[in-house]
Amino acid sequence: MQTMIVRRFRAGLTLLGIGVGACHHATTSSAPPDSRAISAHFPAHFPVDWRFKAGESGTVAPTAVVASNSALASAAGDEIMRGDGNAVDAAVATGFALAVTFPFAGNLGGGGYMVIRMADGRTAAVDYREIAPLAASRDMYLGPDGKMTDESVVGYRASGVPGAVAGMSAALARYGTKSLREVLQPAIRLADEGFVVDSVLFTSLDHSRDYLERFDGKTVFYPNGEPLQPGTRFRQPALARTLRLIAEQGQDAFYKGEVGDSLVAGMKRGGGIITKEDLARYKPEWRQPIASTYHGYKLFTMPPSSSGGVTITEALNILETFDSLPPFGSVGYTHALASAYQRAFIDRNSKLGDAAFVHVPLDKLTSKSYARELRKTILPGRASATPALERTITDGNHTTHYSVVDGAGNAVATTTTINNGYGSGVYLTGPGFFMNDEMDDFAAQPGKPNMFGLVQGEQNAIAPGKRMLSAMSPTIVLDPQGKLLLVVGAAGGPRIITATSQVILNVIQNHMTLADAMRAPRLHHQALPDTLRFEEHGLTPAVADSLKAMGWRLDPVRGSANVNAIMRAASGWVAVTEPRDRGPSRAVGH
Ligand code: GLY
């Protein structure tokens, strides 16, 4: 099992371009953020041995743009906006297209979160996270010996009830201007006509062979026993048919009709527990985004069932209590960020869960007064040990985030996932898609690490109909004048939270351009393991030595999360996809 997980991570890292290069800290002005930020970005100064150069640019679009992990999916969203669709229409078109062109994480068999901010000021969040099937139970992943099995990660029993089709349909119905039929056309075309396989998809399939070949995707993704070959055209007639049924019949095709029947039958054949009743009962939830501020900038971000927005808000609130943060990359800056993340993750791991099932102290955790209390626990010049409460996910890059802005200034931040790359590995040949292994995001054995090292509390224990906790953090930021500034989010397990918030900080605290903000080295602290992770060479030796002397346990890692972001620019929008990603991520706009 362990070998398989490692291979799956490798496949993910390869696909998302994580794992090369070295870095050093960048130095920028750390003047307190203010309303000048949009017009006062200073060039970042990256050291010569950092893998990225400062001063690069992003994709500039005067009117509208999509930034996603697939050029074809971004183009699908752009096509819809060129045809007078708004950002929500485009986000839904992009989401369905990702299900075709990015089978690694794009999905119909998973779920996600969408934060919407319309140009007229309305904000909303759609929670279309998967839910535990009715037949799920607290100890379902424990073997007779009381130890965790691998069934929450791989195979037919690993899946939560998918929310993607319902969530995207709900967003479209409330905030879109086009029909499901219209926004599905690019995805149907891509599935029907196919797309050209690139070397990144080939390599990812090659690395995932040992578990994908255990299931029915074998014939589709390994024709003649070999992964889809680069340069060949990959057509998905079964998926095209599913998409057509959804276009014609709406979400009922998935939750009450032919697609659902085929899903349930396919899962049952393999010993899965999702029933027609599970599908029929699934409902996305409309939520109020968490609205927080950082030095006058306003953030709209995702509330539970994701932990992302709470943890980002808590960390930024703690950082805001510093009169002025030391310069980016310095000992003081790193100490402040790591200490803030450490404290926010302690709360994340022990206090958050599905609020329909457990009490979540949302107001307290996101309040400025609580941040001031936590700030008092940060010792200047001294790291504090994480109490032996929790550990959390060790790694992972198996989700996908896309950001969209349209010509009117409507904005959508969406993160969606089937958890691991290719989800549970189960491909349903009938409807033509992979199923998620989201059940592993529950605390399958509260207090004990799961397959990925995740140890969480009772708040996130399995219960039928409950949503599993997530780290997904789609976020929209307004400047102090109330104008849309940033649309941002990430893939990458708990690093979603730290990477998303550092891109935000780099823009509004460190006055970087978006291109530099995305290229700047990142750090990560998630409470336990009680280590400060930094991108290899992302701290200068002198800074690293000082941090060690303060008691920080440093852990150099290769790579970071996968962020896709859009920022307002003088000439419209600038979009930047993850620079660490060697895959097909692109921004497409006009
Ligand atoms: N499946 C990863 C997450 O939701 O955080």
Side-chain angles (χ1 to χ4, degrees):
M1 180 64 204
Q2 214 51 37
T3 312
M4 186 183 74
I5 299 285
V6 169
R7 287 196 184 174
R8 296 178 72 180
F9 278 143
R10 281 208 194 112
L13 299 177
T14 307
L15 184 60
L16 291 169
I18 306 298
V20 286
C23 61
H24 264 293
H25 79 284
T27 306
T28 61
S29 163
S30 65
D34 59 30
S35 57
R36 296 174 294 116
I38 185 69
S39 57
H41 294 293
F42 305 116
H45 299 289
F46 297 149
V48 282
D49 52 352
W50 171 231
R51 59 191 287 191
F52 299 117
K53 290 202 179 351
E56 298 286 323
S57 55
T59 300
V60 176
T63 307
V65 67
V66 183
S68 85
N69 286 129
S70 159
L72 293 167
S74 296
D78 185 53
E79 175 185 325
I80 294 295
M81 290 196 286
R82 283 175 190 264
D84 288 335
N86 70 11
V88 178
D89 298 320
V92 175
T94 302
F96 278 114
L98 281 165
V100 179
T101 62
F102 197 56
F104 181 78
N107 66 81
L108 301 186
Y113 301 96
M114 188 181 285
V115 173
I116 299 168
R117 198 239 175 207
M118 303 301 283
D120 62 11
R122 285 175 296 158
T123 59
V126 196
D127 177 339
Y128 52 100
R129 183 66 158 166
E130 299 92 325
I131 58 173
L134 292 169
S137 59
R138 181 192 161 89
D139 295 335
M140 65 185 282
Y141 298 117
L142 302 187
D145 56 0
K147 295 200 174 124
M148 286 277 299
T149 65
D150 68 359
E151 288 187 337
S152 65
V153 179
V154 68
Y156 291 84
R157 279 163 53 84
S159 299
V161 183
V165 173
M168 289 193 285
S169 303
L172 187 73
R174 192 171 289 191
Y175 287 99
T177 64
K178 292 193 175 284
S179 66
L180 207 45
R181 178 190 295 275
E182 287 170 298
V183 298
L184 271 160
Q185 290 315 307
I188 293 171
R189 199 173 61 231
L190 286 162
D192 257 340
E193 296 174 6
F195 62 93
V196 176
V197 174
D198 61 19
S199 60
V200 179
L201 177 56
F202 165 79
T203 306
S204 156
L205 289 172
D206 199 28
H207 288 176
S208 308
R209 185 194 277 257
D210 59 345
Y211 73 99
L212 289 189
E213 283 194 338
R214 288 167 56 184
F215 304 104
D216 293 346
K218 185 174 173 174
T219 49
V220 175
F221 292 90
Y222 303 88
N224 311 314
E226 291 303 323
L228 296 168
Q229 296 296 300
T232 60
R233 186 163 281 275
F234 178 42
R235 295 185 174 83
Q236 299 174 78
L239 182 54
R241 184 159 188 282
T242 291
L243 292 168
R244 242 185 230 107
L245 285 169
I246 297 169
E248 285 158 12
Q249 300 168 14
Q251 68 172 56
D252 278 358
F254 192 95
Y255 292 95
K256 293 181 181 156
E258 196 179 319
V259 179
D261 290 350
S262 177
L263 185 159
V264 169
M267 294 294 277
K268 196 170 173 195
R269 267 196 300 277
I273 58 171
I274 294 179
T275 61
K276 287 188 190 182
E277 188 184 355
D278 282 314
L279 288 177
R281 287 166 64 117
Y282 185 86
K283 286 198 175 32
E285 297 289 344
W286 284 99
R287 305 198 191 277
Q288 274 303 112
I290 293 175
S292 63
T293 56
Y294 183 78
H295 289 299
Y297 290 78
K298 191 154 195 174
L299 279 72
F300 296 102
T301 185
M302 196 68 214
S305 60
S306 183
S307 67
V310 179
T311 316
I312 285 179
T313 300
E314 194 173 323
L316 291 184
N317 281 347
I318 295 169
L319 291 171
E320 197 188 42
T321 64
F322 289 77
D323 289 338
S324 67
L325 279 177
F328 179 89
S330 65
V331 176
Y333 185 83
T334 310
H335 178 61
L337 260 66
S339 301
Y341 288 137
Q342 180 187 29
R343 282 152 182 77
F345 265 92
I346 287 172
D347 284 335
R348 181 251 182 231
N349 296 342
S350 58
K351 300 193 174 96
L352 299 185
D354 183 346
F357 285 74
V358 294
H359 172 67
V360 174
L362 195 59
D363 290 346
K364 176 181 171 182
L365 296 180
T366 56
S367 75
K368 301 283 186 193
S369 57
Y370 181 59
R372 283 192 293 275
E373 289 305 309
L374 289 177
R375 166 65 201 285
K376 287 180 199 156
T377 69
I378 300 177
L379 307 173
R382 188 86 217 136
S384 15
T386 300
L389 286 176
E390 307 81 24
R391 246 173 288 164
T392 183
I393 301 166
T394 53
D395 224 329
N397 259 301
H398 313 105
T399 297
T400 185
H401 173 84
Y402 53 99
S403 297
V404 186
V405 172
D406 68 21
N410 302 308
V412 181
T414 305
T415 315
T416 180
T417 190
I418 40 177
N419 204 11
N420 279 301
Y422 308 107
S424 61
V426 171
Y427 177 85
L428 299 174
T429 47
F433 54 78
F434 284 102
M435 288 296 288
N436 69 82
D437 63 334
E438 222 70 63
M439 292 298 282
D440 196 60
D441 275 348
F442 277 118
Q445 194 176 19
K448 295 261 169 64
N450 68 1
M451 292 293 173
F452 298 96
L454 178 66
V455 181
Q456 299 171 107
E458 289 292 335
Q459 296 280 83
N460 192 30
I462 301 173
K466 188 176 177 183
R467 285 168 153 81
M468 56 294 285
L469 195 61
S470 169
M472 292 189 268
S473 310
T475 301
I476 294 172
V477 183
L478 311 184
D479 72 12
Q481 285 72 44
K483 286 179 79 174
L484 178 64
L485 178 65
L486 259 181
V487 186
V488 62
R495 293 172 302 168
I496 289 173
I497 291 167
T498 46
T500 301
S501 54
Q502 281 169 85
V503 170
I504 294 169
L505 278 171
N506 287 343
V507 168
I508 67 183
Q509 172 75 43
N510 300 314
H511 302 283
M512 293 186 198
T513 64
L514 183 60
D516 286 352
M518 294 279 286
R519 285 171 173 78
R522 299 175 190 151
L523 58 87
H524 179 74
H525 201 298
Q526 57 184 37
L528 282 171
D530 194 354
T531 53
L532 169 49
R533 296 184 187 182
F534 65 101
E535 290 191 89
E536 272 184 341
H537 309 293
L539 301 171
T540 63
V543 168
D545 285 347
S546 299
L547 289 164
K548 278 186 214 155
M550 291 162 70
W552 288 106
R553 281 177 39 209
L554 297 185
D555 180 15
V557 293
R558 293 168 77 79
S560 168
N562 191 293
V563 184
N564 292 316
I566 300 171
M567 181 172 161
R568 185 158 54 83
S571 51
W573 309 104
V574 61
V576 182
T577 55
E578 178 55 57
R580 293 154 184 82
D581 184 349
R582 288 170 295 159
S585 300
R586 296 279 181 287
V588 179
H590 62 275

